[in-house]
């Protein structure tokens, strides 16, 4: 009887130690995985913002869908400045400008038109992945709106984002719930996003 009691007591102690260990490690592991996933997502959202800014420069409004944005990146061309040579210190001291140096053939400045994707991201960038949330099977949400500033000006805005449930849903459920509750109490977006449909924030990411 005493041997059985000792075995049960030892098992209970081991279980308690394990539970204490997991209570410490679970949030640590959760945060580590969360950071890894969010770093990739933030980078993708920054790319979306970069593409949307250029789209707006061309069309005076943001792309209403990823199909429109990807088509722009694949089909439209943007100016790309080729620079060969720089002004020397001596030339700068003499007050020579780049325009004068170009006229004299001392340096070269030519503008060529390059596919938007290549200009913004490079030839090997896969724009078809732009809408996909890294590490998941879901896509970013994206929408546009027109807001009125405090001074009465209308401002075109966009928002692209993904919620905690979509990229952390396979991790500890309670810790995800805690994140969502915190966001709700602070009236924040429950996930990661760039831009906003409700405030003029210069297309900032909500982590910036």
């Amino acid at each position: 009887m005493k041997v059985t009691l000792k075995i049960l007591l030892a098992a209970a102690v081991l279980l308690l130690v394990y539970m204490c260990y997991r209570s410490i490690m679970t949030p640590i592991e959760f945060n580590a995985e969360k950071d890894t996933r969010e770093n990739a997502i933030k980078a993708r959202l920054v790319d979306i913002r970069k593409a949307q800014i250029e789209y707006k420069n061309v069309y005076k409004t943001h792309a209403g869908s990823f199909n429109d944005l990807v088509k722009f990146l694949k089909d439209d061309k943007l100016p790309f400045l080729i620079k060969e040579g720089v002004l020397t210190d001596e030339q700068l001291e003499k007050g020579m400008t780049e325009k004068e140096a170009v006229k004299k053939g001392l340096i070269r400045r030519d503008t060529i038109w390059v596919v938007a994707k290549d200009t913004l991201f490079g030839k090997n960038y896969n724009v078809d992945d732009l809408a996909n949330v890294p590490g998941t099977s879901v896509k970013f949400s994206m929408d546009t709106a027109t807001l009125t500033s405090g001074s009465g000006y209308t401002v075109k805005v966009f928002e692209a984002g993904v919620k905690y449930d979509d990229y952390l849903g396979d991790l500890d459920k309670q810790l995800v719930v805690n994140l969502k509750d915190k966001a709700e109490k602070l009236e924040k977006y429950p996930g990661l996003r760039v831009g906003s449909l409700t405030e003029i924030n210069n297309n900032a990411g909500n982590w910036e």
Side-chain angles (χ1 to χ4, degrees):
M1 191 71 178
K2 288 182 179 180
V3 174
T4 302
L5 187 59
K6 287 181 179 180
I7 292 172
L8 291 174
L9 183 60
V13 170
L14 288 173
L15 179 61
L16 183 61
V17 169
Y18 176 76
M19 290 175 65
C20 290
Y21 170 79
R22 290 312 308 165
S23 68
I24 295 171
M25 292 305 299
T26 296
I28 292 175
E29 293 169 353
F30 176 86
N31 286 329
E33 181 62 22
K34 173 177 171 288
D35 288 346
T36 298
R37 296 183 185 189
E38 289 193 337
N39 286 338
I41 292 170
K42 289 174 185 177
R44 184 66 55 81
L45 285 170
V46 168
D47 286 348
I48 292 170
R49 175 173 64 193
K50 191 174 182 180
Q52 280 283 27
I53 289 172
E54 289 302 325
Y55 187 98
K56 185 173 181 288
N57 286 339
V58 173
Y59 294 105
K60 310 308 177 186
T61 188
H62 296 102
S65 70
F66 279 104
N67 285 339
D68 290 341
L69 193 58
V70 169
K71 186 177 185 302
F72 160 73
L73 291 170
K74 288 182 176 180
D75 297 344
D76 285 48
K77 293 185 177 182
L78 299 176
F80 182 80
L81 181 62
I82 295 176
K83 291 187 175 184
E84 291 183 4
V86 295
L87 292 173
T88 65
D89 291 339
E90 183 180 353
Q91 290 168 335
L92 289 170
E93 288 173 4
K94 290 180 179 179
M96 182 179 288
T97 64
E98 274 199 354
K99 189 175 182 180
E100 291 171 338
V102 169
K103 281 185 176 180
K104 293 180 178 180
L106 300 175
I107 62 176
R108 180 189 171 202
R109 298 290 185 268
D110 285 335
T111 299
I112 61 174
W113 290 84
V114 179
V115 173
K117 173 186 76 70
D118 296 349
T119 302
L120 296 176
F121 305 119
K123 291 182 178 295
N124 296 324
Y125 191 93
N126 184 7
V127 294
D128 291 319
D129 271 345
L130 201 61
N132 299 325
V133 179
T136 76
S137 59
V138 302
K139 295 183 181 297
F140 290 104
S141 63
M142 188 169 72
D143 205 351
T144 63
T146 301
L147 303 180
T148 303
S149 69
S151 55
Y153 290 100
T154 58
V155 180
K156 294 186 182 298
V157 298
F158 86 97
E159 175 182 300
V162 59
K163 294 185 177 180
Y164 292 130
D165 282 334
D166 289 326
Y167 69 91
L168 298 175
D170 60 322
L171 302 181
D172 187 277
K173 304 299 183 186
Q174 187 56 53
L175 293 177
V176 175
V177 168
N178 293 347
L179 283 174
K180 291 162 60 179
D181 286 345
K182 182 179 179 181
E184 184 178 356
K185 289 176 182 176
L186 295 175
E187 297 183 348
K188 302 292 185 180
Y189 183 82
L192 291 173
R193 74 174 183 190
V194 289
S196 173
L197 298 181
T198 58
E199 60 178 324
I200 301 169
N201 67 356
N202 199 31
N203 304 320
N206 63 344
W207 67 90
E208 296 176 316

